[in-house]
Amino acid sequence: MMKKNSAVLLAGMMAVSLAACGESSEAPAENSAAATAAVAAATAAETSADETTAAADTTAAAAVTTADADAAAPTFDLSADPYAGDGVLTVGLNATFPPFEYVGDDGNPTGFDVAMMQEIGSRLGLTVEIEDMDFDGIVGAIGNKIDVAATGMTITDERKEAVNFSDPYYDATQSVLLPADSAAASKEDLAGLTVGVQAGTTGEMVAEGVEGIGEIVSVKSFNQAVLDLVNGKNDAVIIDAVPAKAFLSQYPDALKIVDGETMGFDVEQYGIAMPKDDAELGDAINSTLKAMKDDGTYDALVEQWINNYEAE
Ligand code: ARG
């Protein structure tokens, strides 16, 4: 409680001083649409074209949006929350899923989901701690080892028996990574092939549903599955479309993609997975996600992390 109030107060004071700054600069925040756009630019700072102007706009605009967010968004007091009450939101993920989560240059997990959760955490006054773990252990760890999971996790009925999901935040389909010279072009062509998947994923389920499929090799990390494909140990990998593209960019000459539509795979949706017994945390996360979509921050993160992803 104390901590939260003082954080809000501090944010308010910063907003006032930043607003003052903005007024004296040459780029006043004229209206909230401009402010929103500038904040989106600030979030995706690297994508901004004119750095000087953007910097001035950003200072003014950040203040306006902070003030707006305080006024419009309901504030959530999570101080008594069973999971977030300690001020720390522990987020589980498996960092072999670029650009949603992967191990960055500094050896730490990074990517879209990390950035999204850090933004949600900061808006809720929570410190986000990332726990990189095996994908097939994540659902079972929610509510004990970790508080929530943000890991490109598809919302499925089966998982919903164990956890709650936030509102969907990204659409996906499974697609198939193949050697560049493969003749496979349809689901039927996967018959008899050795297919690599990540254990516990919807890609594994899709593979199990392919009639006549050869061997399904379930491994702990997508990096491994793709490496096995590049090295000829398997014939294909079933993996979500956006990560498929990210891996393709690492091996552009060796691999190709047949997309999920061509393969006849269903559309999936990603959600943040949360403990079943915590509706309040769910509300807080959903409202924050919505506010981020409304003010352009969400799209800026998509632009920065997904549309502009470059393999390292
Ligand atoms: N969307 C798929 C699923 O939910 C794959 C997710 C894999 N995520 C990861 N971080 N490895 O099953």
Side-chain angles (χ1 to χ4, degrees):
M1 223 11 196
M2 277 296 285
K3 217 161 119 191
K4 196 182 161 209
N5 284 340
S6 52
V8 168
L9 188 65
L10 183 63
M13 283 160 57
M14 282 170 65
V16 170
S17 62
L18 284 169
C21 235
E23 241 147 30
S24 61
S25 84
E26 284 189 309
E30 293 143 31
N31 54 49
S32 61
T36 300
V39 153
T43 312
E46 288 160 43
T47 63
S48 136
D50 180 339
E51 277 180 30
T52 322
T53 320
D57 281 347
T58 298
T59 313
V64 171
T65 300
T66 306
D68 279 357
D70 276 354
T75 45
F76 290 92
D77 180 5
L78 294 170
S79 59
D81 185 87
Y83 303 99
D86 56 357
V88 177
L89 190 66
T90 309
V91 177
L93 51 74
N94 172 262
T96 73
F97 200 62
F100 291 95
E101 43 269 330
Y102 54 100
V103 176
D105 282 339
D106 64 357
N108 293 314
T110 185
F112 177 83
D113 285 329
V114 176
M116 175 181 74
M117 290 314 296
Q118 273 163 351
E119 179 66 25
I120 290 175
S122 99
R123 290 183 186 215
L124 290 173
L126 302 172
T127 303
V128 167
E129 276 175 15
I130 301 294
E131 193 73 42
D132 188 6
M133 53 204 293
D134 286 345
F135 186 81
D136 59 359
I138 290 179
V139 167
I142 291 170
N144 47 82
K145 193 169 192 285
I146 54 177
D147 297 321
V148 302
T151 186
M153 188 179 282
T154 302
I155 301 169
T156 68
D157 288 341
E158 195 189 331
R159 289 173 182 158
K160 274 200 223 164
E161 285 173 20
V163 292
N164 283 349
F165 280 99
S166 69
D167 294 332
Y169 68 88
Y170 203 87
D171 285 353
T173 38
Q174 298 303 308
S175 61
V176 184
L177 272 173
L178 294 155
D181 60 0
S182 166
S186 69
K187 202 181 197 173
E188 290 69 39
D189 294 339
L190 300 179
L193 299 190
T194 298
V195 178
V197 295
Q198 184 177 43
T201 58
T202 49
E204 183 179 53
M205 285 166 51
V206 163
E208 284 162 359
V210 174
E211 215 171 305
I213 199 161
E215 196 189 342
I216 299 172
V217 182
S218 297
V219 293
K220 291 286 183 191
S221 101
F222 267 126
N223 298 350
Q224 187 60 49
V226 173
L227 209 58
D228 288 348
L229 177 61
V230 172
N231 294 331
K233 286 192 196 153
N234 56 36
D235 305 316
V237 169
I238 299 183
I239 177 173
D240 306 49
V242 172
K245 265 191 227 149
F247 279 115
L248 179 70
S249 73
Q250 290 175 25
Y251 304 101
D253 298 330
L255 302 178
K256 69 173 181 185
I257 295 174
V258 176
D259 66 40
E261 217 169 287
T262 311
M263 287 282 169
F265 298 153
D266 295 336
V267 175
E268 304 180 6
Q269 290 184 309
Y270 297 162
I272 300 162
M274 305 174 288
K276 250 201 161 339
D277 58 352
D278 196 350
E280 201 197 350
L281 183 61
D283 285 349
I285 288 179
N286 277 333
S287 318
T288 309
L289 202 52
K290 184 173 183 308
M292 285 163 60
K293 286 189 175 169
D294 290 346
D295 71 17
T297 306
Y298 183 87
D299 285 346
L301 292 179
V302 168
E303 194 56 26
Q304 179 184 2
W305 289 99
I306 299 177
N307 299 347
N308 287 327
Y309 172 80
E310 269 169 44
E312 277 152 23

